[in-house]
């Protein structure tokens, strides 16, 4: 069957299932779409990164993605975690791809191997930096040899497991390089030569599926150049023979330590998706669909937070985020209803007036239309095909039959879910404290002191200051710089016993110790990691010890030559007083890579160490302390997190597995947040922010698979100083489910049957569904039909309200796992004529 002539039945059968394992599939493309076994496909994809969750979570995440209307799971391949050859646990890429296949979905494998992704060093292993003669991402023999070696390793691993579609597997696309077009001008002609080499190398690997290059407008044939961004409806491929593809639709934005929490309104994301398909796109991927967690030291940036939630449709803990997940599911259903027309016809565009546009896909037997209002302020009423349609500002209406509106992106039929991470006790205190709940009783806290300065025999001494990454090779976040000063008392840099100490550092965090005592500290930020610390210090006659602890918070991951961005104390380091200064930059410095506790594996509870001290009078609010305790895992299967309020900055391990860096004392700026973000108008990463003036992150995910029955171990390394008694375990709890539907909303999308039967299609209705299997709606907290106002958890009756609303909703919903209530006068009467009425409901499930 020729591309574009598939019957609706065949398309319906192929929407969510691939021909896996039974036979090979032929994947190609034409100017309209990816073509699988001769059939053009309209594809919805979403990014889930395998190392940002756990193998136990993968099947549930993938199933939620499928239930949300996705056809494809997209993931990067993270070079640094697989070298040397390591594909175990969260690194088990083969297992992840097979899990996607088992759910009946396809895979887009973005090999890179540069990935950006707010991942440490952009996904490159740091040892690559030390290969003689190497220059990253340019026409350099050493780099190309290593890149090809790893790319071949990944391809061979996938082929060995039979995972390419050409072998009967789920992988239908692969990507080489990543957003290189954003920076290639900095590399000149050598950059262009490298890009062409990378394309040719990829094609030569004979995967049997197409390759793409994102953000590469001059990607050579046969590679498909694709778009990344908040909007890609205006994107055009570089050849009339290539389809319009969107590899990264940013569903939110990443969080930085010291930054406010970004989010993207559901209506705007839905608008961007619908506009892309309206304007001829046929492959769209959410970056991210599930963001997950940056475990261990995997964050990039620097200063990327441990949470990589990304305001994605599935949240960090693996729970669907409503209404975003549900509304996008409805958008996907609407797009799929249009698929027969989208793959059979070319788009035809026409203006319906100022800032309004109609796009029609008309074939002999099918027709689909999109009506868009791109005005950021005003609603519009337009005439199309002889009928009048109301278009809210910044919205798209989808008409699968060119007549009836099945969905408008600004009108959400999906429910809202409010939830919280609920503390299971007030604090983690000693086991004889009666305030502790039995399920989380600890055995008390042990501690170990991390010594200040040089303690290792393998420390090295060199004249001058050494850049940190070149010294540590990122084996640890920490590098000690140590020197000493002999003071007689009459030095020109002294004012009595006082002097001013100036230290310049490339970042990211700096602590200064004079004679073993903390004398000052400073930190950079996501916008600038540079540090210039000035602090008064007191020196004593004789020998004075100066110890500087420099700390990285993830290595740079983006930009031209990002691999050369340094860290650590590069000077000057000066003491100054009223009569002169002493520059210590060129003196002899002794260097120690990492902490003594790291070498002793204090984070590993299976290794016994005499360093640990068990004493109820353990130190608190002091820097450089290791803490250890035992706890019993929270009962049930609700997601678990630790609230680190009360601690400063450090890293935490549960049963020897790092849950990441914590930093609850790093606060977002006081300004820049909004109480309610208007979805209308173009979105940017700083448009919609929350939690200004608050810690960027206090809650840190502990996957259930990290926990074990009975006793569990929690180890902390606290760098700044804190009180571990103040931390608490929390579990994810749903408070309410809510919905708000007006008489202007289209009917629920599942009521769409065929164009011929839509004349009898019911009107709008409100639907509620408990989020967990086995739950039923136990209570209606609020119900109002008329002109209600407010948001979920804070609804109010308006000037008019039906007296029947609560009783009607209670009868339809209480005791049910899900329910539907029609917005009809039969149910509610007409409490106020001449106005558009709405039904709002807030309910509880148990």
């Amino acid at each position: 069957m020729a591309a574009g002539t598939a019957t609706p039945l065949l398309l319906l059968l192929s929407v969510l299932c691939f021909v896996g394992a039974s036979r090979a599939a032929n994947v190609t493309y034409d100017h309209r779409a990816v073509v699988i076994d001769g059939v053009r496909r309209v594809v919805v994809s979403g990014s889930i990164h395998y190392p940002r969750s756990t193998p136990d979570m993968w099947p549930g995440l993938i199933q939620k993605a499928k239930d949300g209307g996705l056809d494809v799971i997209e993931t990067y391949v993270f070079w640094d975690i697989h070298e040397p050859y390591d594909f175990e646990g969260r690194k088990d890429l083969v297992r992840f791809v097979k899990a996607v296949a088992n759910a009946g979905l396809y895979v887009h494998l973005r090999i890179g191997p540069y990935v950006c992704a707010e991942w440490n060093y952009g996904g490159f292993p740091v040892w690559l930096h030390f290969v003689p003669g190497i220059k990253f991402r340019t026409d350099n023999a050493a780099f190309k040899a290593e890149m090809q070696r790893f790319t071949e390793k990944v391809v061979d691993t996938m082929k060995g497991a039979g995972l390419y579609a050409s072998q009967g597997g789920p992988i239908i696309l692969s990507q080489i390089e990543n957003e290189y077009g954003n920076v290639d001008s900095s590399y000149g002609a050598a950059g262009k030569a490298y890009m062409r080499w990378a394309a040719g190398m990829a094609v030569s690997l004979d995967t049997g599926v197409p390759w793409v290059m994102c953000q590469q407008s001059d990607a050579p044939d046969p590679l498909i150049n694709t778009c990344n961004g908040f909007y890609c409806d205006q994107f055009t491929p570089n050849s009339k023979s290539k389809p319009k593809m969107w590899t990264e639709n940013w569903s939110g934005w990443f969080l930085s330590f010291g930054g406010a929490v970004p989010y993207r309104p559901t209506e705007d994301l839905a608008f961007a998706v619908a506009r892309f398909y309206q304007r001829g796109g046929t492959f769209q991927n959410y970056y991210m669909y599930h963001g997950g967690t940056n475990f261990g030291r995997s964050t990039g940036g620097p200063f990327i937070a441990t949470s990589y939630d990304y305001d994605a449709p599935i949240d960090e803990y693996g729970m669907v985020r409503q209404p975003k997940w549900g509304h996008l599911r409805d958008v996907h259903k609407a797009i799929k209803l249009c698929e027969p027309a989208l793959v059979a016809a070319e788009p035809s565009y026409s203006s319906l007036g100022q800032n309004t546009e109609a796009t029609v896909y008309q074939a002999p037997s099918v027709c689909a239309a999109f009506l868009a209002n791109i005005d950021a302020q005003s609603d519009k009423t337009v005439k199309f095909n002889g009928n009048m349609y109301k278009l809210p500002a910044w919205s798209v209406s989808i008409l699968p039959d060119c007549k009836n509106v099945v969905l408008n992106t600004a009108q959400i039929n999906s429910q809202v879910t409010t939830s919280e991470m609920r503390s299971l006790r007030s604090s983690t205190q000693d086991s004889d404290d009666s305030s502790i709940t039995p399920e989380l009783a600890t055995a008390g806290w042990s501690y170990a002191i991390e010594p200040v300065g040089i303690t290792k025999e393998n420390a090295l001494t060199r004249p001058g200051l050494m850049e940190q990454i070149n010294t540590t090779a990122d084996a640890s976040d920490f590098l000690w710089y140590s020197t000493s000063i002999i003071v007689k008392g009459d030095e020109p840099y002294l004012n009595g016993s006082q002097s001013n100490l100036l230290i310049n550092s490339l970042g990211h965090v700096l602590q200064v110790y004079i004679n073993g005592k903390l004398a000052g500290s400073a930190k950079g930020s996501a916008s600038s990691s540079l540090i210039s610390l000035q602090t008064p210090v007191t020196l004593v006659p004789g020998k004075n010890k100066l110890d500087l602890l420099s700390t990285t918070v993830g290595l740079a991951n983006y930009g031209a030559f990002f691999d050369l961005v340094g860290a650590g104390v590069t000077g000057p380091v000066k003491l100054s007083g009223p009569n002169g200064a002493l520059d210590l930059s060129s003196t002899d410095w002794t260097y120690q890579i990492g902490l003594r506790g790291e070498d002793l594996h204090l984070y590993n509870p299976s290794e016994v160490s005499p360093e640990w001290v068990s004493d109820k009078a353990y130190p608190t609010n002091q820097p450089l302390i290791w803490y250890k305790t035992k706890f019993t895992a929270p009962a049930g299967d609700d997601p678990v997190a630790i609230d680190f309020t009360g601690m400063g900055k450090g890293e935490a391990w549960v049963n020897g597995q790092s849950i990441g860096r914590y930093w609850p004392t790093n606060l977002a700026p006081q300004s820049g947040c909004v109480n309610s973000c208007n979805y209308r108008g173009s979105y940017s990463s700083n448009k919609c922010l929350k939690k200004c003036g608050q810690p960027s992150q206090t809650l840190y995910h502990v996957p259930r698979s990290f926990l074990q029955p009975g006793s569990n171990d929690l180890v902390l390394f606290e760098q700044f100083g804190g009180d571990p008694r103040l931390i608490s375990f929390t579990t994810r709890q749903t408070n309410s489910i809510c919905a708000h539907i007006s008489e202007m909303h289209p009917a629920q999308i599942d009521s769409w049957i065929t164009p011929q039967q839509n004349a009898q299609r019911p009107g709008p209705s409100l639907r509620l569904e408990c989020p967990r299997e086995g739950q039923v709606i136990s209570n209606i907290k609020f119900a109002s039909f008329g002109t209600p106002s407010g948001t979920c958890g804070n609804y109010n009756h308006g000037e008019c309200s039906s007296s029947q609303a609560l009783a009607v909703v209670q009868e339809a919903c209480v005791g049910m796992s899900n329910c539907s209530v029609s917005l009809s006068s039969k149910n509610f009467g007409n409490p106020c004529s001449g106005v558009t009425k709405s039904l709002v409901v807030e309910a509880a499930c148990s």
Side-chain angles (χ1 to χ4, degrees):
M1 184 175 295
T5 60
T7 65
L9 176 60
L10 180 56
L11 284 167
L12 180 62
L13 291 174
S14 66
V15 162
L16 286 178
C17 61
F18 70 93
V19 185
S22 58
R23 66 177 180 85
N26 181 32
V27 183
T28 58
Y29 63 84
D30 64 13
H31 74 290
R32 285 292 295 126
V34 172
V35 178
I36 302 176
D37 287 336
V39 179
R40 287 178 179 164
R41 296 293 306 276
V42 171
V43 177
V44 182
S45 175
S47 292
I48 299 175
H49 294 161
Y50 55 100
R52 283 177 159 143
S53 54
T54 65
D56 285 359
M57 295 174 67
W58 294 343
L61 296 173
I62 294 163
Q63 186 60 47
K64 289 183 175 77
K66 181 176 181 177
D67 293 343
L70 267 59
D71 309 299
V72 174
I73 301 299
E74 186 177 282
T75 186
Y76 282 126
V77 180
F78 297 82
W79 187 353
D80 62 325
I81 69 172
H82 294 301
E83 297 261 59
Y85 196 85
D86 187 355
F87 288 83
E88 301 296 325
R90 293 199 316 275
K91 307 171 187 179
D92 194 341
L93 177 59
V94 169
R95 179 177 174 183
F96 179 78
V97 173
K98 286 183 176 180
V100 177
N102 290 339
L105 300 183
Y106 295 114
V107 171
H108 179 195
L109 194 67
R110 305 177 76 189
I111 298 176
Y114 165 70
V115 299
C116 183
E118 293 71 58
W119 192 265
N120 192 59
Y121 215 46
F124 288 141
V126 176
W127 60 255
L128 201 65
H129 174 75
F130 299 94
V131 173
I134 199 164
K135 292 182 180 180
F136 285 19
R137 303 179 79 195
T138 190
D139 191 15
N140 173 267
F143 179 76
K144 291 191 296 183
E146 293 293 350
M147 175 175 167
Q148 181 166 350
R149 178 188 60 81
F150 179 72
T151 304
E152 289 175 347
K153 175 192 292 187
V154 174
V155 169
D156 289 346
T157 299
M158 297 300 103
K159 285 183 177 180
L163 294 176
Y164 281 101
S166 55
Q167 302 171 290
I171 302 173
I172 60 168
L173 292 166
S174 286
Q175 177 179 301
I176 196 70
E177 248 298 338
N178 188 52
E179 295 184 328
Y180 190 63
N182 293 353
V183 299
D184 62 4
S185 61
S186 298
Y187 297 88
K192 292 298 185 183
Y194 159 71
M195 181 272 294
R196 292 189 294 271
W197 167 85
M201 182 269 290
V203 172
S204 73
L205 298 178
D206 193 26
T207 61
V209 302
W211 288 84
V212 307
M213 275 186 165
C214 65
Q215 294 294 93
Q216 193 69 51
S217 60
D218 55 352
D221 295 342
L223 275 73
I224 308 168
N225 67 303
T226 66
C227 182
N228 293 352
F230 290 117
Y231 308 94
C232 281
D233 51 284
Q234 299 303 311
F235 168 75
T236 302
N238 66 11
S239 167
K240 292 183 179 180
S241 65
K242 298 176 183 179
K244 182 173 179 174
M245 296 176 61
W246 191 1
T247 36
E248 291 189 16
N249 177 1
W250 300 326
S251 58
W253 201 243
F254 56 84
L255 174 67
S256 296
F257 284 128
V261 178
Y263 63 98
R264 186 177 185 185
T266 297
E267 298 94 330
D268 174 67
L269 182 55
F271 170 79
V273 172
R275 281 288 286 165
F276 179 72
Y277 289 106
Q278 174 183 3
R279 299 286 304 180
T282 52
F283 182 106
Q284 183 266 159
N285 176 77
Y286 296 100
Y287 187 100
M288 302 290 296
Y289 199 75
H290 164 73
T293 306
N294 292 314
F295 299 110
R297 300 171 55 244
S298 62
T299 64
F303 295 97
I304 299 299
T306 298
S307 172
Y308 202 67
D309 180 84
Y310 223 90
D311 197 40
I314 303 175
D315 70 16
E316 177 179 5
Y317 303 96
M319 310 296 287
V320 297
R321 171 174 275 114
Q322 297 284 31
K324 184 171 279 190
W325 180 89
H327 190 46
L328 293 175
R329 173 201 57 196
D330 290 349
V331 172
H332 306 154
K333 289 180 178 180
I335 297 297
K336 290 296 185 177
L337 288 171
C338 301
E339 183 172 13
L342 295 179
V343 299
E346 301 297 324
S348 173
Y349 305 104
S350 61
S351 173
L352 300 176
Q354 185 178 14
N355 290 329
T356 57
E357 178 184 79
T359 305
V360 176
Y361 292 85
Q362 176 77 61
S365 59
V366 288
C367 184
F370 297 78
L371 310 181
N373 177 7
I374 60 174
D375 195 300
Q377 303 293 329
S378 303
D379 296 349
K380 308 280 187 179
T381 299
V382 299
K383 187 175 184 180
F384 172 72
N385 282 355
N387 298 310
M388 304 304 294
Y389 297 88
K390 185 173 182 180
L391 299 176
W394 205 251
S395 77
V396 177
S397 286
I398 301 175
L399 293 66
D401 59 357
C402 287
K403 181 179 180 181
N404 293 287
V405 175
V406 71
L407 180 139
N408 178 273
T409 57
Q411 296 173 327
I412 298 176
N413 274 335
S414 176
Q415 70 185 27
V416 176
T417 302
T418 64
S419 58
E420 64 176 347
M421 298 302 291
R422 191 170 300 166
S423 179
L424 298 179
R425 59 174 183 160
S426 58
S427 62
T428 323
Q429 301 181 26
D430 292 339
S431 58
D432 59 354
D433 192 310
S434 60
S435 69
I436 296 176
T437 59
E439 65 177 350
L440 284 176
T442 71
W445 288 96
S446 302
Y447 72 94
I449 303 293
E450 178 64 36
V452 172
I454 308 301
T455 59
K456 299 182 184 181
E457 294 182 358
N458 63 352
L460 63 150
T461 300
R462 297 286 189 276
L465 295 164
M466 297 171 59
E467 190 277 328
Q468 183 164 349
I469 300 170
N470 280 305
T471 305
T472 66
D474 199 39
S476 169
D477 283 354
F478 304 99
L479 178 64
W480 282 105
Y481 296 69
S482 182
T483 193
S484 59
I485 312 142
I486 303 299
V487 171
K488 297 178 181 178
D490 59 353
E491 284 81 2
Y493 56 81
L494 288 178
N495 184 3
S497 63
Q498 297 284 308
S499 185
N500 291 313
L501 177 63
L502 166 68
I503 305 173
N504 284 346
S505 169
L506 298 178
H508 309 145
V509 176
L510 178 65
Q511 290 172 291
V512 179
Y513 293 84
I514 300 289
N515 296 322
K517 302 294 184 182
L518 182 66
S521 62
K523 60 180 174 61
S525 67
S527 58
S528 175
S529 63
L530 301 180
I531 295 170
S532 183
L533 177 129
Q534 298 187 58
T535 184
V537 296
T538 300
L539 302 176
V540 298
K543 186 177 181 179
N544 290 261
K545 188 93 175 298
L546 172 60
D547 294 298
L548 312 178
L549 182 59
S550 179
T551 309
T552 53
V553 191
L555 304 189
N557 61 262
Y558 181 73
F561 309 107
F562 76 86
D563 52 297
L564 303 180
V565 175
V569 180
T570 53
V573 177
K574 290 183 179 181
L575 289 168
S576 63
N579 299 312
L582 173 65
D583 192 334
L584 299 171
S585 305
S586 299
T587 192
D588 283 352
W589 290 85
T590 301
Y591 297 88
Q592 176 180 297
I593 298 170
L595 305 174
R596 186 166 185 267
E598 290 178 309
D599 281 6
L600 295 174
H601 299 165
L602 294 184
Y603 51 82
N604 187 346
S606 65
E607 297 190 23
V608 178
S609 173
E611 300 291 314
W612 290 111
V613 177
S614 296
D615 188 340
K616 288 187 177 180
Y618 51 83
T620 60
N621 300 311
Q622 296 181 25
L624 306 185
I625 307 288
W626 294 81
Y627 296 103
K628 181 172 69 171
T629 193
K630 291 186 177 294
F631 68 95
T632 302
D637 58 1
D638 294 319
V640 177
I642 299 177
D643 185 339
F644 275 98
T645 300
M647 301 302 288
K649 173 190 176 294
E651 188 171 354
W653 294 261
V654 172
N655 295 324
Q657 299 193 71
S658 175
I659 64 171
R661 301 181 182 97
Y662 64 83
W663 200 349
T665 54
N666 204 338
L667 306 183
Q670 292 288 342
S671 61
C673 292
V674 292
N675 292 326
S676 178
C677 187
N678 187 350
Y679 72 86
R680 301 168 182 86
S682 294
Y683 179 79
S684 64
S685 60
N686 60 2
K687 178 181 180 180
C688 304
L689 301 173
K690 58 186 178 181
K691 296 191 175 180
C692 284
Q694 301 179 47
S696 301
Q697 185 178 354
T698 57
L699 297 168
Y700 295 79
H701 182 207
V702 182
R704 282 282 178 179
S705 61
F706 282 21
L707 302 172
Q708 59 195 23
S711 180
N712 292 262
D713 291 280
L714 173 64
V715 176
L716 315 176
F717 171 67
E718 174 54 50
Q719 183 178 356
F720 288 173
D723 188 343
R725 293 171 298 183
L726 300 179
I727 71 172
S728 60
F729 281 83
T730 65
T731 58
R732 183 65 172 271
Q733 304 290 323
T734 299
N735 294 328
S736 297
I737 56 173
C738 303
H740 184 169
I741 305 296
S742 79
E743 293 175 319
M744 297 303 296
H745 277 60
Q748 292 285 340
I749 194 167
D750 290 337
S751 67
W752 182 280
I753 307 173
T754 67
Q756 293 74 27
Q757 294 172 299
N758 277 315
Q760 292 79 42
R761 194 170 175 225
S765 61
L766 180 147
R767 291 194 62 187
L768 295 173
E769 183 175 1
C770 290
R772 297 179 72 97
E773 189 174 347
Q775 289 184 326
V776 297
I777 297 170
S778 56
N779 179 34
I780 304 300
K781 298 180 179 181
F782 182 90
S784 180
F785 179 77
T787 56
S789 61
T791 57
C792 187
N794 192 31
Y795 287 130
N796 298 293
H797 295 285
E799 293 184 2
C800 79
S801 180
S802 169
S803 60
Q804 304 161 233
L806 181 61
V808 168
V809 175
Q810 286 175 330
E811 182 178 354
C813 296
V814 172
M816 308 295 290
S817 61
N818 62 81
C819 65
S820 179
V821 182
S822 174
L823 274 67
S824 65
S825 57
K826 178 180 178 182
N827 278 336
F828 301 105
N830 187 6
C832 41
S833 59
V835 299
T836 300
K837 292 173 282 296
S838 297
L839 172 63
V840 299
V841 177
E842 178 180 1
C845 293
S846 60

